[in-house]
C-alpha cells in the first residue's frame, strides 16, 4: 500500500477513535444530567411536600395561637372575676368582723354595767384589738386605734368599792333612830347643863340645894334663835315619819347602787343630805357623824360610773356599714 493511503487510514482511525470517545463522554454526561435532573425533580417534589407540611404547620400554629389567645382572654376574664370575688369576700369578712366585734363590745359593756366590774369589757377589748391587728383592711385601722385608746382608758379606770359604799349606807341606816331632831336642842342643852351641874355638885347639902334651884330657875326661861321654824315645830309623830322618810331615801340609794342605777342613787343621797340638814340638829355629834358618812358616800358615788367604749362602737359601726359610710353615720349605744 502506498504511504498516503496508510496515512489517510490512520487519520480516519484516529478520528473514529476520538469520535467514539467523545460520544461515550457525551453519553456519560447525558446520563449524569438525567440523574441530576431526576434527583432535582425528586428534591423539588420533596421540597414541595415539605413546603405543604410547613404551610399546614403554620396554619395549625396560627389556629393554636388564636385558640391560646382566646383562652388567655378567657383566663384574664376569669382572673378579674376571681379578684373581684376575693375582694368582695374580703370586704364581707371584714364587715362581718366589725359587726361581730361591735356586738361583743355592746354585750360586754352591758355585762360590766350589770356586774360593776370592768373584767368583761377588758376581755372584749383585748379580743377586738387582737383580731383587728390581724386584719389587712385599711377601713379597720380607725376602729383599731379607737379600740386601743378605749382599752388603755378602761385599764386605768378606777372601780368603785361597792361593798364599802353599801357599808356606809347601812351604818347610816342604823344611826337614823338615834339622830336628834332640831326641836330637841333645848332638852339636850338642859341635860348637858344638868350633867355639868352633877359633875360640879358641892359636897354640902345646902350647895346641892342651891344648884338644883338654879338649874330649875334657868329652865323656866330659854331664849334661842329659830332659823328653821318648820323643824322647830316638828311633832313627835312628824319626827317619826321624817326618820322613816330618811330611811327610805337611804334604802333607795342602796338599791340603786345594787342595780347600777347610779343617777337615781345619787339623787336619793342628795335628798337624804337635804333632809338631814333640815330636820335634824346640826350641832349634835351624831348628826355631824351621819353628815360626814353621807358626804363620803356621795363623793364615792361620783366615781361609780363605769367607763364606756362609745368611740370603739362608732368606729366599728362605720366599718360595718360599708365603704360608702362616713364618720358621722356611725351607730352609737
Amino acid at each position: 500500500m502506498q504511504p498516503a493511503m496508510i496515512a489517510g487510514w490512520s487519520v480516519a482511525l484516529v478520528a473514529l477513535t476520538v469520535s467514539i470517545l467523545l460520544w461515550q463522554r457525551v453519553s456519560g454526561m447525558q446520563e449524569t444530567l438525567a440523574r441530576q435532573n431526576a434527583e432535582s425533580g425528586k428534591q423539588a417534589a420533596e421540597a414541595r411536600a415539605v413546603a405543604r407540611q410547613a404551610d399546614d404547620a403554620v396554619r395549625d400554629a396560627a389556629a393554636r395561637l388564636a385558640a391560646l389567645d382566646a383562652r388567655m382572654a378567657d383566663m384574664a376574664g376569669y382572673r378579674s372575676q376571681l379578684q373581684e370575688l376575693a375582694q368582695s369576700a374580703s370586704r364581707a369578712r371584714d364587715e362581718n368582723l366589725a359587726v361581730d366585734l361591735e356586738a361583743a363590745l355592746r354585750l360586754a359593756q352591758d355585762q360590766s354595767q350589770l356586774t360593776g366590774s370592768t373584767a368583761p369589757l377588758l376581755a372584749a377589748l383585748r379580743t377586738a384589738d387582737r383580731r383587728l391587728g390581724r386584719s389587712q383592711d385599711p377601713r379597720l385601722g380607725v376602729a383599731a386605734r379607737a379600740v386601743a385608746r378605749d382599752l388603755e382608758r378602761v385599764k386605768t379606770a378606777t372601780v368603785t368599792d361597792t361593798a364599802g359604799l353599801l357599808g356606809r349606807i347601812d351604818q347610816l341606816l342604823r344611826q337614823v333612830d338615834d339622830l336628834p331632831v332640831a326641836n330637841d336642842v333645848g332638852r339636850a342643852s338642859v341635860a348637858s347643863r344638868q350633867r355639868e351641874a352633877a359633875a360640879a355638885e358641892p359636897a354640902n347639902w345646902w350647895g346641892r340645894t342651891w344648884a338644883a334651884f338654879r338649874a330649875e330657875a334657868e329652865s323656866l326661861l330659854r331664849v334661842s334663835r329659830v332659823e328653821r321654824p318648820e323643824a322647830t315645830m316638828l311633832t313627835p309623830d312628824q319626827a317619826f315619819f321624817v326618820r322613816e322618810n330618811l330611811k327610805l331615801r337611804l334604802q333607795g340609794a342602796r338599791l340603786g347602787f345594787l342595780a347600777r342605777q347610779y343617777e337615781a342613787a345619787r339623787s336619793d343621797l342628795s335628798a337624804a343630805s337635804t333632809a338631814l340638814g333640815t330636820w335634824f340638829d346640826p350641832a349634835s355629834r351624831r348628826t355631824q357623824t351621819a353628815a360626814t358618812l353621807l358626804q363620803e358616800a356621795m363623793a364615792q358615788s361620783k366615781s361609780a360610773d363605769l367607763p364606756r367604749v362609745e368611740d370603739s362602737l362608732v368606729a366599728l359601726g362605720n366599718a360595718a356599714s360599708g365603704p360608702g359610710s362616713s364618720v358621722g353615720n356611725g351607730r352609737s349605744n
Side-chain angles (χ1 to χ4, degrees):
M1 296 180 63
Q2 295 180 3
M5 290 181 64
I6 293 171
W9 282 106
S10 299
V11 172
L13 183 60
V14 172
L16 181 61
T17 302
V18 171
S19 297
I20 292 171
L21 292 175
L22 289 175
W23 180 79
Q24 289 178 352
R25 189 171 183 179
V26 169
S27 296
M29 293 176 63
Q30 287 178 352
E31 290 177 359
T32 301
L33 289 174
R35 284 196 304 268
Q36 292 179 354
N37 190 14
E39 291 176 358
S40 299
K42 186 177 180 180
Q43 292 176 356
E46 292 177 355
R48 286 193 297 269
V50 171
R52 284 194 299 269
Q53 292 177 357
D55 293 338
D56 294 339
V58 169
R59 284 192 295 269
D60 292 341
R64 291 180 181 178
L65 184 60
L68 287 176
D69 290 338
R71 185 171 294 181
M72 288 295 294
D74 294 339
M75 292 298 294
Y78 293 153
R79 181 179 179 181
S80 62
Q81 291 178 1
L82 287 175
Q83 287 179 350
E84 292 177 359
L85 288 175
Q87 292 176 359
S88 177
S90 177
R91 287 193 298 268
R93 181 190 61 193
D94 293 331
E95 291 173 5
N96 291 333
L97 174 62
V99 171
D100 293 342
L101 293 180
E102 182 184 6
L105 284 181
R106 290 184 185 276
L107 180 60
Q109 184 168 261
D110 293 338
Q111 289 178 349
S112 295
Q113 293 295 329
L114 289 175
T115 59
S117 173
T118 59
L121 200 56
L122 280 174
L125 286 172
R126 288 192 179 100
T127 302
D129 185 57
R130 185 171 58 253
R131 295 180 66 182
L132 289 173
R134 292 197 300 262
S135 177
Q136 301 297 327
D137 191 351
R139 293 177 301 163
L140 296 179
V142 178
R145 290 190 292 272
V147 167
R149 289 194 301 268
D150 287 337
L151 180 59
E152 293 298 326
R153 186 164 55 84
V154 173
K155 283 181 180 179
T156 58
T158 56
V159 180
T160 303
D161 184 12
T162 307
L165 190 60
L166 296 178
R168 286 187 174 86
I169 294 177
D170 291 339
Q171 187 176 356
L172 283 171
L173 285 171
R174 290 191 296 268
Q175 294 178 2
V176 169
D177 292 332
D178 297 331
L179 294 177
V181 293
N183 54 4
D184 285 342
V185 176
R187 289 192 291 271
S189 61
V190 171
S192 63
R193 283 196 299 271
Q194 289 177 353
R195 286 193 298 270
E196 292 175 358
E201 184 177 359
N204 51 9
W205 62 271
W206 61 267
R208 290 194 296 271
T209 304
W210 171 252
F213 176 77
R214 188 179 62 180
E216 188 67 25
E218 289 178 354
S219 65
L220 294 176
L221 180 63
R222 177 168 54 90
V223 179
S224 62
R225 182 176 181 176
V226 179
E227 296 181 355
R228 296 187 298 275
E230 67 279 4
T232 306
M233 299 177 66
L234 197 67
T235 64
D237 293 337
Q238 291 174 341
F240 171 77
F241 287 110
V242 166
R243 295 180 192 277
E244 293 300 319
N245 185 47
L246 180 58
K247 290 180 181 179
L248 289 176
R249 288 293 186 181
L250 292 175
Q251 289 175 355
R254 190 177 191 280
L255 291 175
F257 285 120
L258 288 175
R260 312 301 173 190
Q261 302 294 328
Y262 299 111
E263 292 295 333
R266 281 193 287 266
S267 177
D268 288 333
L269 287 179
S270 178
S273 177
T274 302
L276 185 65
T278 302
W279 303 108
F280 295 92
D281 181 17
S284 174
R285 185 178 298 276
R286 294 179 178 177
T287 305
Q288 293 174 0
T289 303
T292 301
L293 287 174
L294 195 56
Q295 292 297 326
E296 290 177 356
M298 293 178 64
Q300 190 174 0
S301 68
K302 291 181 180 179
S303 61
D305 289 333
L306 292 172
R308 303 181 68 85
V309 289
E310 296 298 331
D311 294 341
S312 298
L313 292 176
V314 170
L316 289 172
N318 291 335
S321 60
S325 63
S326 59
V327 176
N329 294 329
R331 291 172 289 177
S332 62
N333 188 9

